[in-house]
Amino acid sequence: MDKNQLSEGIVYLVGAGPGDPGLLTLRARSLIEGCDVLVYDHLANRKLHDWASAGCERIDVGKSPGRHTMEQSEIGEILVAKAQDGLKVVRLKGGDPFVFGRCAEEMLALDEADVPYEVVPGVTAALACAAYAGIPLSHRDFGSSISFLTGHEDVAKESLRVDFAKFAEVGGTLCIYMGMSKLEEIVEKLLVGGLSKDRPAAVVSQGTLPGQRKILAPLGELVEQARVGDLSAPAIIFVGNSIGLARSSTWFDRAPLFGRRIVLTRASGQKSKMRSRLEELGAEVIDLPLIKIEPAEDRKLVAEVFAGIATYEWVVFTSANGAKAFMEIFFRAYSDIRSFGPMRIACVGESTAEVLQAYQLDIELISQDSTAEGLAKELIGTDSLDSANVLVITGNRNREILVDVLEGVGRAIVDTLPVYQTDFADVLEAPVLSTFLKNGADAIIFTSSSTALSYVEQSDDLIFEGGARKPILCSFGPQTSKTLKENDLKIDLEASHPSTDGLIDALVEHFSASG
């Protein structure tokens, strides 16, 4: 192998943190964004994969109870082989690589193969779960030591490898990883070792994520309380006097949508202000794409429009998808943004405007409501349309009302340029489908008539299992509501005004009222 090629390859052993992507280090994010290969396990949040480039190779080496993707030796072989191919490899490991992350074994494999590597620390689960659950791990009056223990070091091993009876004598706070499958045995050994049944204890499951759950109980009642609460792995078990200072409610679970599972039906691969806002408010957001967006252009029409692009007085963008597709076509035709011309720009909603603002384009008009009707009214209010040449950027499913109003009431001369098409996505291809049908959700959001029609069309594949939460149906605005009603679907919630903020405000109000 060429020495220069070998010298370029490197492995980064990166801590993915406990779950919340916001707890990842800046160094870790930078490496994920620039890597050639992403090797990940199941405790690393899948959202982190979105930061990798489209061309990045993704390799799943995760282990979970009853499922072993590959042996540890095989993982080491992959890391060595990819680095020796001259690639930048990120080995993404849940929590911190050196805290029960088997980083030492992978380091040895890399050392033996003389492959360069770097270790990037991560926030370990015990510290993060305790903080998000409001559980102090130390207090000068209740405990001045913290011990990190593991219920087992390999999901394939059945026996405990830590003598918990001896650790009962240590005192302080015990933080026990990977112990849920052996919880009863662990508690029994701690009691045999001398800990009181009244010693404060806790279990935090799915820590730092919207689905986080916890129980606080005396050690003697912990097993039964965990069973009643149906807490499962991944989880951290805490035992110690300082745990008694914790409260049932914390800063994290007081978020207005905490514990709510919200389903978005938009096309996959799209940045979403709605997702970000819902997650900020504590919701668990899952994507169930019901539509797909694909480029679609009439080359002859594009050539005609671009030949006369300087003659338009307004260009109107009806969606973020249209804005993205248009700019891609534009830069195939022109290399300089100054070729855009003197057109004034109007957009439906903030999300559409943000696409164009990224190119340093000034937006003359952003409609308050994210509807064609709202934009048409505001454009007419500018008194600039009479005999004006207007270009409307559309998709294949855009309604004609915008063009009709601009031509009829505004007396504008309107050309339309379709640049993308919306089709139904096959719901059976959605990775979350089985989980969604098994567990259900609290709400499903329809942001367009297209998503509503796709839901109706594929209803036979969207039948919930017994015991699943039945979601309320939420509509982005009047037109989407009309489509749902025409198909005999009950609308439980409609945005106060057609916008992301309007819909989220309605969700918060609804769930606050329902408790």
Side-chain angles (χ1 to χ4, degrees), residues 221-238:
E221 301 175 18
L222 190 64
V223 174
E224 176 62 16
Q225 291 295 327
R227 185 191 66 78
V228 171
D230 195 27
L231 267 64
S232 60
I236 303 290
I237 303 161
F238 300 97

Side-chain angles (χ1 to χ4, degrees), residues 99-100 147-154 159-164 167 175-179 186:
V99 181
F100 309 126
S147 301
F148 289 172
L149 311 174
T150 177
H152 52 70
E153 293 182 358
D154 191 318
S159 60
L160 293 173
R161 298 192 61 179
V162 173
D163 189 340
F164 285 92
F167 271 94
C175 305
I176 304 168
Y177 293 67
M178 298 177 284
I186 290 170

Side-chain angles (χ1 to χ4, degrees), residues 135-138 142-143 145-147 149 164 167-168 170-176 183 186-187 190-191 195-203 217-220 222 236-244:
I135 297 174
L137 297 183
S138 65
F142 297 105
S145 68
I146 302 172
S147 301
L149 311 174
F164 285 92
F167 271 94
V170 173
T173 301
L174 306 180
C175 305
I176 304 168
L183 179 59
I186 290 170
V187 169
L190 290 173
L191 294 174
L195 284 187
S196 165
K197 290 184 177 181
D198 296 326
R199 183 65 59 94
V203 176
L219 183 60
L222 190 64
I236 303 290
I237 303 161
F238 300 97
V239 182
N241 286 328
S242 66
I243 310 303

Side-chain angles (χ1 to χ4, degrees), residues 47-48 65 82 88 94 112 176 228 235 286 315 321 335 349 390:
K47 294 177 187 174
L48 305 182
K82 294 297 182 181
K88 294 180 180 178
E112 289 175 3
I176 304 168
V228 171
I286 62 176
V315 58
N321 291 317
S335 60
V390 177

